[in-house]
Amino acid sequence: MALTTSTNQALLDAQLDLWHTTFAYIKSMALKSALDLGIADAIHNHGGTATLPQIASKAMLHPSKIACLHRLMRVLIATGIFSVKHLNDDDGGELAYGLTPASQLLVGSISQSPFMSAMLHGVFVSPFLGLGTWLQHERSDPSSELDDHTAAHRAATAVHNSTMALTTSTNQALLDAQLELWHTTFAYIKSMALKSALDLGIADAIHNHGGTATLPQIASKAMLHPSKIACLHRLMRVLTATGIFSVKHLNDDDGGELAYGLTPASQLLVGSMSQSPFMSAMLHGVFVSPFLGLGTWLQHERSDLSLFEMTHGHKTWDVNKHNPAFGALLNQGMVSDSSFVMDIVVKECGHVFRGLSSLVDVAGGLGGAAMAISAAFPSVRCSVLDLPQVIANAPTSTPVKYIAGDMFDSIPPANAVFLKWVLHDWGDADCVKILKNCKKAIPQRDAGGKVIILDMVVGDESSNSKHKETQVLFDLFIMFINGVERDEQEWKKIIFEAGFSDYKIIPVLGVRSIIELYP
């Protein structure tokens, strides 16, 4: 189904560019995990191909983590590090993973694993979380940039000779394979560059200068020390290469001063529909830092302990208590994303809501989505179900009714139940329980009863490789809270297990879709 307006499609394309850059660091962290776990060696030692159980055995993963290993491998395949095929000719055969030219460089006598491991060590990666702050620091001498992390430095230096040998004496195919490894290894720099742009308010600086700004103008607005303008130039070079900003010479010749502008992607970082809070939350150290330990978590025998909990010592739901400032940012981020996507939902998927008499938004927070539906379709009586501590902060002067409760216990009766980005937080068993409660709350299909889900369907009908890659990157991201983004077969399994008779996927929301379930 095509979008009815080119404007909405352009917005979704711009959002895709932002998401693809935001979650680029997941590629690097997936490769780091593969290095930490020795996945290339495991495949190599199995004669060049290995199944998930075989890889898990060599990597000393607990059997409960094999499904997580599958999701890790899906990212590593999307980025060209490993290959995959079915052992049988049909699509139902067990998957076998193989080495690509890139991962062949992680085994054998000229293995680049030590170099890549050093480049992806937390000692080198974690400082980039503070790049924006450093750019605002007045000291420009090299000693203020990083402490002397000699262990990582020695690790990098130890493989310098093998790297030089590779670049000077091997054929083009090996150099191309090395390029693939480097491109994935340093993908996190794209994400950290965007984080720095958000921290420094670069999009706002350009916007407030009428849509274009020079480096000194950006530096002034971002409160950068003049000594850091050369560093700002290098940051902007990354951000223009990734399509976040544009650049042109003020004069017609190439010698003129550079002026930076907004692209469709960075236009989403300013104004009333700004996605800056969402991107800032996704790129906060609280969310990024756990991925440095992804390999260790995969080897942990407890399947109920999330990567987030292993890193921070508490569950995601308790973040407000342990880190109120980040909790506030995360809430702002969720509101900004909801406003953006719901504006498109009511325009592009209005038929989903027309004819309904009532709707309950389950786990709907403070009611942003429900208010958007109510405003667009005044005849639909909208309510929100959420936990008592959430409902306690709900606004009072809205047409939306707020109900304190728990979706695992029961859901108030309504013509339709709405679940926006809820089920990806839960495993299959919990999702089936939630969906069964949804089914109890609605009338039969011939009376208009249905469940409306807004979530990802991984690998849906899109032929856009960036679209598919972003979906698998986000799936690996959401795994850090034991969440999951499902493909159609995985959705089908929980839908039918919950007792629904049919479903319909409407893929018109970029990386996300509307899924209608019928009792």
Side-chain angles (χ1 to χ4, degrees), residues 258-278:
L258 295 176
Y260 298 88
L262 301 179
T263 62
S266 47
Q267 285 169 0
L268 288 184
L269 302 178
V270 298
S272 60
M273 295 289 285
S274 174
Q275 297 299 286
S276 290
F278 179 76

Side-chain angles (χ1 to χ4, degrees), residues 71 109-110 127 144 177 228 290 348 367 374 401 423 432 462 490 513:
R71 294 160 69 186
S109 59
I110 58 168
S144 69
K228 296 290 177 65
E348 300 296 340
S374 179
K401 180 182 178 182
L423 297 182
V432 169
S462 172
E490 290 166 328
S513 297

Side-chain angles (χ1 to χ4, degrees), residues 351-375:
H351 61 282
V352 170
F353 304 102
R354 289 191 187 98
L356 295 177
S357 59
S358 60
L359 175 145
V360 57
D361 182 5
V362 172
L366 300 183
M371 283 189 271
I373 295 168
S374 179

Side-chain angles (χ1 to χ4, degrees), residues 135-452:
L135 283 167
Q136 291 176 316
H137 198 283
E138 66 181 52
R139 285 182 62 190
S140 59
D141 58 291
S143 64
S144 69
E145 298 178 24
L146 284 173
D147 291 335
D148 181 18
H149 299 303
T150 54
H153 178 72
R154 284 198 300 268
T157 304
V159 296
H160 178 71
N161 291 336
S162 69
T163 305
M164 289 304 296
L166 177 67
T167 57
T168 56
S169 64
T170 57
N171 58 29
Q172 189 61 49
L174 284 174
L175 290 170
D176 290 344
Q178 185 194 47
L179 175 61
E180 291 294 331
L181 276 182
W182 280 50
H183 193 253
T184 301
T185 297
F186 296 107
Y188 77 91
I189 297 293
K190 301 178 188 179
S191 305
M192 295 300 101
L194 176 57
K195 182 184 188 306
S196 300
L198 293 164
D199 292 346
L200 296 170
I202 291 177
D204 283 322
I206 294 172
H207 179 66
N208 293 336
H209 265 285
T212 59
T214 62
L215 286 173
Q217 289 168 338
I218 295 170
S220 175
K221 286 285 186 181
M223 296 185 291
L224 267 61
H225 193 267
S227 66
K228 296 290 177 65
I229 288 182
C231 299
L232 176 64
H233 166 67
R234 295 158 69 184
L235 172 65
M236 295 302 290
R237 188 163 57 182
V238 172
L239 292 164
T240 53
T242 55
I244 302 301
F245 297 112
S246 63
V247 64
K248 65 179 181 180
H249 289 276
L250 285 177
N251 300 330
D252 292 335
D253 58 40
D254 287 346
E257 190 174 14
L258 295 176
Y260 298 88
L262 301 179
T263 62
S266 47
Q267 285 169 0
L268 288 184
L269 302 178
V270 298
S272 60
M273 295 289 285
S274 174
Q275 297 299 286
S276 290
F278 179 76
M279 303 305 162
S280 294
M282 296 301 102
L283 287 170
H284 194 283
V286 170
F287 276 3
V288 174
S289 59
F291 286 92
L292 291 166
L294 179 58
T296 302
W297 175 78
L298 285 167
Q299 291 177 317
H300 200 287
E301 66 179 51
R302 282 185 59 188
S303 59
D304 61 316
L305 181 72
S306 70
L307 175 58
F308 182 93
E309 190 176 357
M310 185 186 81
T311 305
H312 296 300
H314 60 83
K315 296 182 182 296
T316 325
W317 319 117
D318 297 326
V319 72
N320 278 317
K321 181 170 63 177
H322 293 274
N323 191 335
F326 175 68
L329 174 63
L330 182 58
N331 289 336
Q332 292 169 14
M334 294 299 102
V335 169
S336 70
D337 177 68
S338 182
S339 299
F340 176 87
V341 74
M342 288 307 300
D343 185 64
I344 297 176
V345 165
V346 297
K347 293 174 182 175
E348 300 296 340
C349 305
H351 61 282
V352 170
F353 304 102
R354 289 191 187 98
L356 295 177
S357 59
S358 60
L359 175 145
V360 57
D361 182 5
V362 172
L366 300 183
M371 283 189 271
I373 295 168
S374 179
F377 307 98
S379 61
V380 182
R381 297 189 310 276
C382 293
S383 58
V384 171
L385 172 75
D386 216 313
L387 297 171
Q389 60 267 33
V390 176
I391 298 300
N393 297 313
T396 54
S397 57
T398 77
V400 173
K401 180 182 178 182
Y402 292 88
I403 304 166
D406 189 329
M407 63 187 175
F408 287 103
D409 295 332
S410 65
I411 292 170
N415 204 204
V417 172
F418 187 49
L419 293 161
K420 184 183 75 66
W421 237 11
V422 172
L423 297 182
H424 75 164
D425 288 335
W426 303 97
D428 285 2
D430 285 328
C431 284
V432 169
K433 187 171 184 179
I434 295 166
L435 289 175
K436 283 182 175 180
N437 285 340
C438 291
K439 187 170 180 289
K440 291 176 185 176
I442 59 175
Q444 291 301 307
R445 182 175 185 175
D446 56 9
K450 62 182 175 181
V451 174
I452 305 164

Side-chain angles (χ1 to χ4, degrees), residues 77-107:
I77 291 159
T79 53
I81 303 299
F82 297 111
S83 62
V84 64
K85 65 179 181 179
H86 290 275
L87 285 177
N88 301 332
D89 292 336
D90 57 40
D91 287 345
E94 189 174 14
L95 295 175
Y97 298 87
L99 301 178
T100 62
S103 48
Q104 284 169 0
L105 288 184
L106 301 178
V107 298

